[in-house]
Coordinates of all heavy atoms in Angstrom, one line a residue:
M16 N 0.9 -1.2 0.0 CA 0.0 0.0 0.0 C 0.9 1.2 0.0 O 1.9 1.3 0.7 CB -0.9 0.0 1.2 CG -1.9 1.1 1.3 SD -3.1 0.9 2.5 CE -2.2 1.0 4.0
G17 N 0.5 2.2 -0.8 CA 1.3 3.4 -0.8 C 1.9 3.8 -2.1 O 3.1 4.1 -2.1
H18 N 1.1 3.9 -3.2 CA 1.6 4.4 -4.4 C 1.5 5.9 -4.4 O 0.4 6.4 -4.3 CB 0.8 3.8 -5.6 CG 1.2 4.2 -6.9 ND1 1.2 3.3 -8.0 CD2 1.7 5.3 -7.5 CE1 1.6 3.9 -9.1 NE2 1.9 5.1 -8.8
F19 N 2.6 6.6 -4.5 CA 2.6 8.1 -4.4 C 3.0 8.7 -5.8 O 3.7 8.0 -6.5 CB 3.6 8.6 -3.3 CG 3.1 8.2 -1.9 CD1 3.4 7.0 -1.4 CD2 2.5 9.2 -1.2 CE1 3.0 6.7 -0.1 CE2 2.0 8.9 0.1 CZ 2.3 7.6 0.6
L20 N 2.6 9.9 -6.0 CA 3.0 10.6 -7.2 C 3.6 11.9 -6.8 O 3.1 12.6 -5.9 CB 1.7 11.0 -8.1 CG 1.0 9.8 -8.8 CD1 -0.2 10.4 -9.5 CD2 2.0 9.2 -9.8
I21 N 4.7 12.3 -7.5 CA 5.4 13.5 -7.3 C 5.3 14.2 -8.7 O 5.6 13.6 -9.7 CB 6.8 13.4 -6.8 CG1 6.9 12.7 -5.5 CG2 7.5 14.7 -6.8 CD1 8.3 12.3 -5.0
E22 N 4.9 15.5 -8.7 CA 4.8 16.2 -10.0 C 5.2 17.6 -9.8 O 4.9 18.2 -8.7 CB 3.5 16.0 -10.6 CG 2.3 16.5 -9.8 CD 1.0 16.3 -10.5 OE1 0.4 15.3 -10.3 OE2 0.6 17.2 -11.3
P23 N 5.7 18.2 -10.8 CA 6.0 19.7 -10.6 C 4.7 20.5 -10.7 O 3.8 20.1 -11.3 CB 6.9 20.0 -11.8 CG 6.6 18.9 -12.8 CD 6.2 17.7 -12.0
K24 N 4.8 21.7 -10.1 CA 3.6 22.5 -10.2 C 3.4 23.1 -11.6 O 2.3 23.2 -12.1 CB 3.8 23.7 -9.2 CG 3.6 23.3 -7.8 CD 3.8 24.5 -6.9 CE 3.7 24.0 -5.4 NZ 3.8 25.1 -4.5
R25 N 4.5 23.3 -12.3 CA 4.5 23.8 -13.7 C 4.2 22.7 -14.6 O 4.7 21.6 -14.5 CB 5.9 24.5 -14.0 CG 6.0 25.1 -15.3 CD 7.3 25.8 -15.4 NE 8.4 25.0 -15.4 CZ 9.0 24.4 -16.5 NH1 8.5 24.7 -17.7 NH2 10.1 23.7 -16.4
H26 N 3.3 22.9 -15.6 CA 3.0 21.9 -16.5 C 4.2 21.7 -17.5 O 4.6 22.6 -18.2 CB 1.7 22.3 -17.3 CG 1.5 21.3 -18.4 ND1 1.0 20.0 -18.1 CD2 1.7 21.3 -19.8 CE1 0.9 19.3 -19.3 NE2 1.3 20.1 -20.3
I27 N 4.7 20.5 -17.5 CA 5.7 20.0 -18.4 C 5.4 18.6 -18.8 O 4.8 17.9 -18.0 CB 7.2 20.2 -17.9 CG1 7.4 19.4 -16.6 CG2 7.5 21.7 -17.7 CD1 8.8 19.4 -16.2
E28 N 5.9 18.1 -19.9 CA 5.6 16.8 -20.4 C 6.6 15.8 -19.9 O 6.3 14.6 -19.8 CB 5.5 16.8 -21.9 CG 4.2 17.5 -22.3 CD 3.9 17.3 -23.8 OE1 4.4 16.3 -24.4 OE2 3.2 18.1 -24.4
G29 N 7.9 16.2 -19.6 CA 8.9 15.2 -19.3 C 10.1 15.7 -18.5 O 10.2 16.9 -18.3
L30 N 10.9 14.8 -18.1 CA 12.1 15.2 -17.3 C 13.0 16.2 -18.0 O 13.5 17.1 -17.3 CB 12.9 13.9 -17.0 CG 12.3 12.9 -16.1 CD1 13.1 11.6 -16.1 CD2 12.3 13.5 -14.7
G31 N 13.2 16.1 -19.3 CA 14.0 17.0 -20.0 C 13.6 18.5 -20.0 O 14.4 19.4 -20.3
E32 N 12.4 18.7 -19.6 CA 11.9 20.1 -19.5 C 12.0 20.7 -18.1 O 11.7 21.9 -18.0 CB 10.4 20.1 -19.9 CG 10.2 19.7 -21.4 CD 8.7 19.5 -21.7 OE1 8.0 20.5 -21.6 OE2 8.3 18.4 -22.1
L33 N 12.4 20.0 -17.2 CA 12.6 20.5 -15.8 C 13.8 21.5 -15.8 O 14.8 21.3 -16.5 CB 13.0 19.4 -14.8 CG 11.9 18.4 -14.4 CD1 12.5 17.3 -13.7 CD2 10.8 19.1 -13.6
I34 N 13.6 22.6 -15.1 CA 14.8 23.5 -14.9 C 15.5 22.9 -13.7 O 15.0 22.0 -13.0 CB 14.3 25.0 -14.6 CG1 13.5 25.0 -13.3 CG2 13.6 25.5 -15.8 CD1 13.2 26.5 -12.9
D35 N 16.8 23.3 -13.5 CA 17.6 22.7 -12.5 C 17.0 22.7 -11.1 O 17.0 21.7 -10.4 CB 19.0 23.3 -12.5 CG 19.8 22.9 -13.7 OD1 19.4 22.0 -14.4 OD2 20.9 23.6 -13.9
A36 N 16.4 23.8 -10.7 CA 15.8 24.0 -9.4 C 14.6 23.0 -9.2 O 14.5 22.4 -8.1 CB 15.3 25.4 -9.1
E37 N 13.8 22.8 -10.2 CA 12.7 21.8 -10.2 C 13.3 20.4 -10.0 O 12.8 19.6 -9.3 CB 11.9 21.9 -11.4 CG 11.1 23.2 -11.5 CD 10.4 23.4 -12.9 OE1 11.0 22.9 -13.9 OE2 9.4 24.0 -12.9
A38 N 14.3 20.1 -10.8 CA 14.9 18.8 -10.8 C 15.5 18.5 -9.4 O 15.3 17.3 -8.9 CB 16.0 18.6 -11.9
E39 N 16.2 19.4 -8.8 CA 16.7 19.3 -7.5 C 15.6 19.0 -6.5 O 15.7 18.1 -5.6 CB 17.5 20.5 -7.1 CG 18.8 20.6 -7.9 CD 19.5 22.0 -7.6 OE1 19.1 22.7 -6.7 OE2 20.5 22.2 -8.3
E40 N 14.5 19.8 -6.5 CA 13.5 19.6 -5.6 C 12.8 18.2 -5.8 O 12.4 17.6 -4.8 CB 12.5 20.7 -5.7 CG 11.4 20.7 -4.6 CD 11.9 20.7 -3.2 OE1 13.0 21.3 -2.9 OE2 11.3 20.1 -2.3
I41 N 12.5 17.8 -7.0 CA 11.9 16.6 -7.3 C 12.8 15.4 -6.8 O 12.3 14.5 -6.2 CB 11.5 16.4 -8.7 CG1 10.2 17.3 -9.0 CG2 11.2 15.0 -9.1 CD1 9.8 17.3 -10.4
G42 N 14.1 15.5 -7.0 CA 15.0 14.5 -6.6 C 15.0 14.4 -5.1 O 15.0 13.3 -4.5
R43 N 15.1 15.6 -4.4 CA 15.1 15.6 -2.9 C 13.8 15.0 -2.4 O 13.8 14.2 -1.4 CB 15.3 17.1 -2.5 CG 15.5 17.3 -1.1 CD 15.9 18.7 -0.6 NE 15.7 19.8 -1.6 CZ 16.7 20.2 -2.4 NH1 17.9 19.8 -2.3 NH2 16.4 21.2 -3.3
M44 N 12.6 15.4 -3.0 CA 11.4 14.8 -2.5 C 11.3 13.3 -2.7 O 10.8 12.6 -1.9 CB 10.2 15.6 -3.1 CG 8.8 15.0 -2.7 SD 8.6 15.0 -0.9 CE 8.4 16.7 -0.5
T45 N 11.8 12.9 -3.8 CA 11.7 11.4 -4.1 C 12.6 10.7 -3.1 O 12.1 9.6 -2.5 CB 12.3 11.1 -5.5 OG1 11.4 11.8 -6.5 CG2 12.2 9.6 -5.8
A46 N 13.7 11.2 -2.7 CA 14.6 10.6 -1.7 C 13.9 10.6 -0.3 O 13.9 9.6 0.4 CB 15.9 11.2 -1.7
R47 N 13.4 11.7 0.0 CA 12.7 11.9 1.3 C 11.5 11.0 1.5 O 11.3 10.3 2.5 CB 12.3 13.3 1.6 CG 13.5 14.3 1.8 CD 13.1 15.7 2.0 NE 12.3 15.8 3.2 CZ 11.3 16.6 3.4 NH1 10.9 17.4 2.4 NH2 10.6 16.6 4.5
L48 N 10.7 10.9 0.4 CA 9.5 10.0 0.4 C 9.9 8.6 0.5 O 9.3 7.8 1.2 CB 8.7 10.3 -0.8 CG 7.4 9.5 -0.9 CD1 6.5 9.6 0.3 CD2 6.6 9.9 -2.2
S49 N 11.0 8.2 -0.2 CA 11.5 6.8 -0.2 C 11.9 6.5 1.2 O 11.6 5.4 1.8 CB 12.7 6.7 -1.2 OG 12.2 6.9 -2.5
R50 N 12.7 7.4 1.9 CA 13.1 7.1 3.3 C 11.9 7.0 4.2 O 11.9 6.1 5.1 CB 14.1 8.2 3.8 CG 15.5 8.1 3.3 CD 16.4 9.0 4.0 NE 16.1 10.4 3.9 CZ 16.4 11.2 2.9 NH1 17.2 10.7 1.9 NH2 16.1 12.5 2.9
A51 N 10.9 7.9 4.0 CA 9.8 7.8 4.9 C 9.0 6.5 4.7 O 8.6 5.9 5.7 CB 8.8 9.0 4.6
L52 N 8.9 6.0 3.5 CA 8.2 4.7 3.3 C 9.0 3.5 3.9 O 8.4 2.6 4.4 CB 8.0 4.5 1.8 CG 6.9 5.4 1.2 CD1 7.0 5.3 -0.3 CD2 5.5 4.9 1.7
R53 N 10.3 3.6 3.9 CA 11.1 2.6 4.5 C 11.0 2.6 6.0 O 10.8 1.6 6.6 CB 12.6 2.7 4.0 CG 12.7 2.3 2.5 CD 14.2 2.4 2.1 NE 14.8 1.2 2.7 CZ 15.9 0.7 2.2 NH1 16.4 1.1 1.1 NH2 16.5 -0.4 2.8
E54 N 11.1 3.8 6.5 CA 11.1 4.0 8.0 C 9.7 3.7 8.6 O 9.5 3.1 9.6 CB 11.6 5.4 8.4 CG 13.0 5.6 8.1 CD 13.5 7.0 8.3 OE1 12.7 7.8 8.8 OE2 14.6 7.3 7.9
S55 N 8.7 4.3 8.0 CA 7.3 4.2 8.6 C 6.5 3.0 8.2 O 5.7 2.5 9.0 CB 6.5 5.5 8.3 OG 6.1 5.5 7.0
E56 N 6.8 2.5 7.0 CA 6.0 1.4 6.5 C 6.7 0.1 6.4 O 6.1 -0.9 6.0 CB 5.3 1.8 5.2 CG 4.5 3.0 5.2 CD 3.5 3.0 6.3 OE1 2.7 2.1 6.4 OE2 3.5 4.0 7.2
G57 N 8.0 0.1 6.6 CA 8.8 -1.2 6.5 C 9.1 -1.6 5.1 O 9.3 -2.8 4.9
A58 N 9.0 -0.7 4.1 CA 9.3 -1.1 2.7 C 10.7 -1.6 2.6 O 11.6 -1.0 3.2 CB 9.0 0.1 1.8
E59 N 10.9 -2.7 1.9 CA 12.3 -3.1 1.8 C 13.0 -2.5 0.6 O 14.2 -2.5 0.5 CB 12.4 -4.6 1.7 CG 11.8 -5.3 0.5 CD 11.8 -6.8 0.4 OE1 12.2 -7.4 1.5 OE2 11.5 -7.4 -0.6
H60 N 12.2 -1.9 -0.3 CA 12.8 -1.2 -1.5 C 11.7 -0.3 -2.0 O 10.5 -0.5 -1.8 CB 13.1 -2.3 -2.6 CG 13.8 -1.7 -3.8 ND1 15.2 -1.4 -3.7 CD2 13.4 -1.3 -5.0 CE1 15.6 -0.9 -4.9 NE2 14.5 -0.8 -5.7
V61 N 12.1 0.8 -2.5 CA 11.2 1.8 -3.1 C 11.6 2.1 -4.5 O 12.7 2.5 -4.8 CB 11.1 3.1 -2.2 CG1 10.2 4.1 -2.8 CG2 10.8 2.8 -0.8
Y62 N 10.6 1.9 -5.4 CA 10.9 2.2 -6.8 C 10.4 3.6 -7.2 O 9.5 4.1 -6.6 CB 10.1 1.2 -7.7 CG 10.4 -0.2 -7.5 CD1 9.6 -1.0 -6.7 CD2 11.5 -0.8 -8.1 CE1 9.9 -2.4 -6.5 CE2 11.9 -2.1 -7.9 CZ 11.0 -2.9 -7.1 OH 11.3 -4.2 -6.9
S63 N 11.0 4.2 -8.2 CA 10.5 5.4 -8.8 C 10.5 5.2 -10.3 O 11.5 4.8 -10.9 CB 11.3 6.6 -8.4 OG 12.6 6.6 -8.8
F64 N 9.4 5.6 -10.9 CA 9.2 5.4 -12.3 C 8.7 6.7 -12.9 O 7.9 7.4 -12.3 CB 8.2 4.3 -12.6 CG 8.5 3.0 -12.1 CD1 7.7 2.4 -11.1 CD2 9.5 2.2 -12.6 CE1 8.0 1.2 -10.5 CE2 9.8 0.9 -12.1 CZ 9.0 0.4 -11.1
V65 N 9.0 7.0 -14.1 CA 8.4 8.0 -14.9 C 7.6 7.3 -16.0 O 8.2 6.7 -16.9 CB 9.4 9.0 -15.5 CG1 8.7 10.0 -16.4 CG2 10.2 9.7 -14.5
L66 N 6.3 7.3 -15.8 CA 5.4 6.6 -16.8 C 4.3 7.6 -17.2 O 4.3 8.7 -16.8 CB 4.8 5.4 -16.1 CG 5.7 4.4 -15.5 CD1 4.9 3.4 -14.6 CD2 6.4 3.6 -16.6
G67 N 3.4 7.1 -18.0 CA 2.3 8.0 -18.3 C 2.3 8.6 -19.7 O 2.1 9.8 -19.8
H68 N 2.7 7.9 -20.7 CA 2.7 8.4 -22.0 C 1.3 8.8 -22.5 O 1.2 9.4 -23.5 CB 3.4 7.5 -23.0 CG 3.2 6.0 -22.7 ND1 4.2 5.4 -21.9 CD2 2.3 5.2 -22.9 CE1 3.8 4.1 -21.8 NE2 2.6 4.0 -22.3
H69 N 0.3 8.4 -21.8 CA -1.1 8.8 -22.1 C -1.5 10.2 -21.6 O -2.4 10.7 -22.0 CB -2.1 7.7 -21.7 CG -1.8 6.4 -22.2 ND1 -1.9 6.1 -23.6 CD2 -1.4 5.2 -21.7 CE1 -1.6 4.9 -23.8 NE2 -1.3 4.3 -22.7
I70 N -0.7 10.6 -20.6 CA -1.0 11.9 -19.9 C 0.2 12.8 -20.2 O 1.3 12.5 -19.7 CB -1.2 11.7 -18.4 CG1 -2.4 10.8 -18.2 CG2 -1.5 13.0 -17.7 CD1 -2.6 10.3 -16.8
P71 N 0.1 13.9 -20.9 CA 1.2 14.8 -21.2 C 1.6 15.7 -20.0 O 1.6 16.9 -20.2 CB 0.7 15.5 -22.4 CG -0.7 15.6 -22.2 CD -1.1 14.3 -21.5
H72 N 1.9 15.1 -18.9 CA 2.4 15.9 -17.7 C 3.3 14.9 -16.9 O 3.0 13.8 -16.7 CB 1.2 16.3 -16.8 CG 1.6 17.2 -15.7 ND1 2.0 18.5 -15.9 CD2 1.7 16.9 -14.4 CE1 2.3 19.0 -14.7 NE2 2.1 18.1 -13.8
L73 N 4.4 15.5 -16.5 CA 5.4 14.7 -15.7 C 4.8 14.2 -14.4 O 4.3 15.1 -13.6 CB 6.7 15.5 -15.5 CG 7.7 14.8 -14.7 CD1 8.2 13.6 -15.4 CD2 8.9 15.8 -14.4
H74 N 4.9 12.9 -14.2 CA 4.5 12.3 -12.9 C 5.6 11.3 -12.5 O 6.0 10.5 -13.3 CB 3.2 11.5 -13.0 CG 2.0 12.3 -13.3 ND1 1.6 12.6 -14.6 CD2 1.1 12.9 -12.5 CE1 0.5 13.3 -14.5 NE2 0.2 13.5 -13.3
I75 N 6.2 11.5 -11.3 CA 7.1 10.5 -10.8 C 6.3 9.6 -9.9 O 5.7 10.0 -8.9 CB 8.2 11.2 -10.0 CG1 8.9 12.3 -10.7 CG2 9.3 10.1 -9.5 CD1 9.6 12.0 -11.9
H76 N 6.3 8.3 -10.2 CA 5.6 7.3 -9.4 C 6.6 6.8 -8.4 O 7.7 6.4 -8.8 CB 5.0 6.2 -10.3 CG 4.1 6.6 -11.3 ND1 2.7 6.4 -11.2 CD2 4.2 7.3 -12.5 CE1 2.1 6.9 -12.2 NE2 3.0 7.4 -13.0
V77 N 6.2 6.8 -7.1 CA 7.0 6.3 -6.0 C 6.2 5.2 -5.4 O 5.2 5.4 -4.8 CB 7.4 7.4 -5.0 CG1 8.2 6.9 -3.9 CG2 8.0 8.6 -5.7
I78 N 6.8 4.0 -5.5 CA 6.0 2.8 -5.1 C 6.9 1.9 -4.2 O 8.0 1.4 -4.7 CB 5.6 2.0 -6.4 CG1 4.8 2.9 -7.3 CG2 4.7 0.8 -6.0 CD1 4.6 2.3 -8.7
P79 N 6.4 1.6 -3.0 CA 7.2 0.7 -2.1 C 7.0 -0.8 -2.5 O 6.0 -1.2 -3.0 CB 6.6 1.0 -0.8 CG 5.2 1.4 -1.0 CD 5.2 2.1 -2.4
R80 N 8.1 -1.6 -2.2 CA 8.0 -3.0 -2.3 C 8.1 -3.5 -0.8 O 9.1 -3.1 -0.1 CB 9.1 -3.6 -3.2 CG 8.9 -5.1 -3.3 CD 10.1 -5.7 -4.1 NE 11.2 -5.8 -3.3 CZ 12.5 -5.6 -3.7 NH1 12.7 -5.3 -5.0 NH2 13.5 -5.8 -2.9
Y81 N 7.2 -4.3 -0.4 CA 7.2 -4.8 1.0 C 7.8 -6.2 1.1 O 7.9 -6.9 0.1 CB 5.8 -4.8 1.5 CG 5.2 -3.4 1.6 CD1 4.3 -2.9 0.7 CD2 5.6 -2.6 2.7 CE1 3.9 -1.6 0.8 CE2 5.1 -1.3 2.8 CZ 4.2 -0.8 1.8 OH 3.8 0.5 1.9
P82 N 8.3 -6.5 2.3 CA 8.9 -7.8 2.5 C 8.0 -8.9 2.1 O 6.7 -8.8 2.3 CB 9.2 -7.9 4.0 CG 9.3 -6.4 4.4 CD 8.4 -5.7 3.5
G83 N 8.5 -10.0 1.5 CA 7.7 -11.1 1.0 C 7.2 -11.0 -0.4 O 6.7 -12.0 -0.9
A84 N 7.4 -9.9 -1.0 CA 7.0 -9.8 -2.4 C 7.8 -10.7 -3.3 O 9.0 -10.6 -3.3 CB 7.1 -8.3 -2.9
P85 N 7.1 -11.6 -4.0 CA 7.9 -12.6 -4.9 C 8.6 -11.8 -6.0 O 8.1 -10.8 -6.5 CB 6.8 -13.5 -5.5 CG 5.6 -13.3 -4.6 CD 5.7 -11.9 -4.0
R86 N 9.8 -12.3 -6.4 CA 10.6 -11.7 -7.4 C 9.9 -11.4 -8.6 O 10.1 -10.3 -9.3 CB 11.8 -12.5 -7.6 CG 12.9 -11.8 -8.5 CD 14.1 -12.6 -8.7 NE 15.2 -12.4 -7.7 CZ 15.9 -11.3 -7.7 NH1 15.6 -10.2 -8.4 NH2 16.9 -11.2 -6.8
E87 N 8.9 -12.2 -9.0 CA 8.2 -11.9 -10.3 C 7.3 -10.7 -10.2 O 6.8 -10.2 -11.2 CB 7.4 -13.2 -10.7 CG 6.2 -13.5 -9.8 CD 6.6 -14.6 -8.8 OE1 7.8 -14.8 -8.5 OE2 5.7 -15.3 -8.3
Y88 N 7.1 -10.1 -9.0 CA 6.4 -8.9 -8.8 C 7.2 -7.7 -8.5 O 6.7 -6.6 -8.2 CB 5.3 -9.1 -7.8 CG 4.2 -10.1 -8.1 CD1 4.2 -11.3 -7.5 CD2 3.3 -9.8 -9.1 CE1 3.2 -12.2 -7.9 CE2 2.3 -10.7 -9.5 CZ 2.3 -11.9 -8.9 OH 1.3 -12.8 -9.3
W89 N 8.5 -7.9 -8.6 CA 9.4 -6.7 -8.4 C 9.4 -5.8 -9.6 O 9.0 -6.2 -10.7 CB 10.8 -7.2 -8.2 CG 11.1 -7.9 -6.8 CD1 10.1 -8.4 -6.0 CD2 12.3 -8.2 -6.3 NE1 10.7 -9.0 -4.9 CE2 12.1 -8.9 -5.0 CE3 13.6 -8.0 -6.6 CZ2 13.1 -9.3 -4.2 CZ3 14.7 -8.4 -5.8 CH2 14.4 -9.1 -4.6
G90 N 9.7 -4.6 -9.3 CA 9.8 -3.6 -10.4 C 8.4 -3.1 -10.7 O 7.6 -2.8 -9.9
M91 N 8.2 -2.9 -12.0 CA 6.9 -2.3 -12.5 C 5.7 -3.1 -12.2 O 4.6 -2.6 -12.3 CB 7.0 -2.0 -14.0 CG 8.0 -0.9 -14.2 SD 8.2 -0.4 -15.9 CE 6.6 0.3 -16.3
R92 N 5.9 -4.4 -11.8 CA 4.7 -5.2 -11.5 C 4.4 -5.3 -10.0 O 3.5 -6.1 -9.6 CB 5.0 -6.7 -12.0 CG 5.1 -6.7 -13.5 CD 5.0 -8.1 -14.1 NE 3.8 -8.7 -13.7 CZ 3.7 -10.0 -13.4 NH1 4.7 -10.8 -13.4 NH2 2.5 -10.5 -13.1
V93 N 5.1 -4.5 -9.2 CA 4.9 -4.6 -7.7 C 3.4 -4.4 -7.3 O 3.0 -5.1 -6.4 CB 5.9 -3.7 -7.0 CG1 5.5 -2.2 -7.2 CG2 6.0 -4.0 -5.5
D94 N 2.7 -3.6 -8.0 CA 1.3 -3.4 -7.6 C 0.4 -4.6 -8.0 O -0.8 -4.7 -7.5 CB 0.7 -2.2 -8.4 CG 1.0 -0.9 -7.6 OD1 1.5 -0.9 -6.5 OD2 0.8 0.2 -8.2
E95 N 0.9 -5.5 -8.8 CA 0.1 -6.7 -9.2 C 0.2 -7.8 -8.2 O -0.6 -8.8 -8.3 CB 0.6 -7.2 -10.6 CG 0.4 -6.1 -11.7 CD 1.1 -6.6 -13.0 OE1 1.2 -7.8 -13.2 OE2 1.4 -5.7 -13.8
W96 N 1.1 -7.7 -7.2 CA 1.2 -8.8 -6.2 C -0.1 -8.9 -5.5 O -0.5 -8.0 -4.8 CB 2.4 -8.5 -5.3 CG 2.6 -9.5 -4.2 CD1 2.4 -10.8 -4.3 CD2 3.1 -9.2 -2.9 NE1 2.8 -11.4 -3.0 CE2 3.2 -10.4 -2.2 CE3 3.5 -8.0 -2.3 CZ2 3.6 -10.5 -0.9 CZ3 3.9 -8.1 -1.0 CH2 4.0 -9.3 -0.3
P97 N -0.8 -10.1 -5.6 CA -2.1 -10.3 -4.9 C -2.1 -10.1 -3.4 O -3.0 -9.7 -2.8 CB -2.5 -11.7 -5.3 CG -1.6 -12.1 -6.4 CD -0.4 -11.3 -6.3
D98 N -0.9 -10.4 -2.8 CA -0.8 -10.4 -1.3 C -0.2 -9.1 -0.8 O 0.1 -9.0 0.4 CB -0.1 -11.6 -0.8 CG -0.8 -12.9 -1.1 OD1 -2.0 -12.9 -1.1 OD2 -0.1 -13.9 -1.3
A99 N -0.1 -8.1 -1.7 CA 0.5 -6.8 -1.2 C -0.4 -6.2 -0.2 O -1.6 -6.3 -0.3 CB 0.7 -5.9 -2.4
P100 N 0.2 -5.5 0.8 CA -0.7 -4.8 1.7 C -1.6 -3.8 1.0 O -1.1 -3.0 0.1 CB 0.4 -4.0 2.6 CG 1.7 -4.7 2.3 CD 1.6 -5.2 1.0
R101 N -2.8 -3.8 1.3 CA -3.8 -2.9 0.7 C -4.7 -2.4 1.9 O -4.7 -2.9 2.9 CB -4.7 -3.6 -0.3 CG -3.8 -4.3 -1.3 CD -4.5 -4.5 -2.7 NE -3.8 -5.3 -3.6 CZ -2.8 -4.9 -4.4 NH1 -2.4 -3.7 -4.3 NH2 -2.3 -5.7 -5.2
G102 N -5.4 -1.3 1.6 CA -6.2 -0.8 2.7 C -7.4 0.1 2.1 O -7.3 0.5 1.0
G103 N -8.3 0.2 2.9 CA -9.5 1.1 2.6 C -9.1 2.5 2.9 O -8.0 2.9 3.2
K104 N -10.2 3.3 2.9 CA -10.0 4.8 3.1 C -9.3 5.1 4.4 O -8.4 5.9 4.4 CB -11.4 5.4 3.1 CG -11.4 6.9 3.1 CD -12.8 7.5 3.0 CE -12.8 9.0 3.1 NZ -14.2 9.5 3.0
E105 N -9.7 4.5 5.5 CA -9.1 4.8 6.8 C -7.6 4.4 6.9 O -6.8 5.1 7.4 CB -9.9 4.2 7.9 CG -11.3 4.9 8.1 CD -11.1 6.4 8.3 OE1 -10.3 6.8 9.1 OE2 -11.9 7.1 7.7
A106 N -7.3 3.2 6.3 CA -5.9 2.7 6.3 C -5.0 3.6 5.5 O -3.9 3.9 5.8 CB -5.9 1.3 5.8
I107 N -5.6 4.1 4.3 CA -4.8 5.0 3.5 C -4.6 6.3 4.2 O -3.5 6.9 4.1 CB -5.5 5.1 2.1 CG1 -5.5 3.8 1.4 CG2 -4.9 6.3 1.3 CD1 -6.3 3.8 0.1
K108 N -5.6 6.8 4.8 CA -5.5 8.1 5.6 C -4.4 7.9 6.7 O -3.6 8.8 6.9 CB -6.9 8.4 6.2 CG -6.9 9.7 6.9 CD -8.3 10.0 7.4 CE -8.4 11.3 8.2 NZ -9.7 11.5 8.8
A109 N -4.4 6.8 7.4 CA -3.4 6.6 8.4 C -2.0 6.5 7.9 O -1.1 7.0 8.4 CB -3.8 5.3 9.2
L110 N -1.9 5.8 6.7 CA -0.6 5.7 6.1 C -0.1 7.1 5.7 O 1.1 7.4 5.9 CB -0.7 4.8 4.8 CG 0.6 4.8 4.0 CD1 1.0 3.4 3.7 CD2 0.4 5.6 2.7
C111 N -0.9 7.9 5.1 CA -0.5 9.2 4.7 C -0.1 10.1 5.9 O 0.9 10.8 5.8 CB -1.7 9.9 4.0 SG -2.0 9.3 2.3
E112 N -0.8 9.9 7.0 CA -0.4 10.7 8.2 C 1.0 10.2 8.7 O 1.8 11.0 9.1 CB -1.5 10.5 9.3 CG -1.2 11.4 10.5 CD -1.1 12.9 10.2 OE1 -1.7 13.4 9.3 OE2 -0.3 13.5 10.8
R113 N 1.2 8.9 8.7 CA 2.5 8.4 9.2 C 3.7 8.9 8.3 O 4.7 9.3 8.7 CB 2.6 6.8 9.2 CG 1.7 6.2 10.3 CD 1.9 4.7 10.4 NE 1.7 4.0 9.2 CZ 0.5 3.5 8.9 NH1 -0.6 3.7 9.6 NH2 0.3 2.8 7.7
V114 N 3.4 8.8 7.0 CA 4.4 9.3 6.0 C 4.6 10.8 6.2 O 5.8 11.3 6.2 CB 4.1 8.9 4.6 CG1 5.0 9.6 3.6 CG2 4.1 7.4 4.4
R115 N 3.6 11.6 6.3 CA 3.6 13.0 6.5 C 4.5 13.4 7.7 O 5.3 14.3 7.7 CB 2.2 13.6 6.6 CG 2.2 15.1 6.7 CD 0.8 15.7 6.8 NE 0.1 15.5 5.6 CZ -1.0 14.7 5.5 NH1 -1.5 14.1 6.6 NH2 -1.6 14.6 4.4
K116 N 4.3 12.6 8.8 CA 5.1 12.9 10.0 C 6.6 12.7 9.7 O 7.4 13.4 10.3 CB 4.6 12.0 11.2 CG 3.4 12.5 11.8 CD 2.9 11.6 12.9 CE 1.6 12.0 13.4 NZ 1.1 11.1 14.5
K117 N 6.9 11.7 9.0 CA 8.3 11.4 8.6 C 8.9 12.5 7.7 O 10.1 12.8 7.7 CB 8.5 10.1 7.9 CG 8.2 8.9 8.9 CD 9.4 8.7 9.8 CE 9.2 7.5 10.7 NZ 10.3 7.4 11.7
L118 N 8.1 13.1 6.9 CA 8.5 14.1 6.0 C 8.7 15.5 6.6 O 9.4 16.4 6.1 CB 7.5 14.3 4.8 CG 7.5 13.1 3.9 CD1 6.4 13.3 2.8 CD2 8.8 12.9 3.1
T119 N 8.1 15.7 7.8 CA 8.2 17.0 8.5 C 9.3 17.0 9.5 O 9.7 16.0 10.0 CB 6.9 17.5 9.0 OG1 6.4 16.5 9.9 CG2 5.9 17.7 8.0

């Protein structure tokens, strides 16, 4: 549980359009969010992907991999693991609060 998106405020289509300050901030936020997911949620690895060729706006997907995830679900298939931790509205709200505390 915990697929996050990081995106610049300015509308751009891809990484190559970032100015240096935006790239630095996105990199810093990706690292901080990754640490927060490892510390607060016990993720054993955190992936970041730039996907979304159907949507012309840069989105960095930040997705944790939890202990026990079979190797065939590592990488871009991590969300397909049937036994991955999942949660309803309240569980997601609690996860966001735990991660938010780690980020501040």
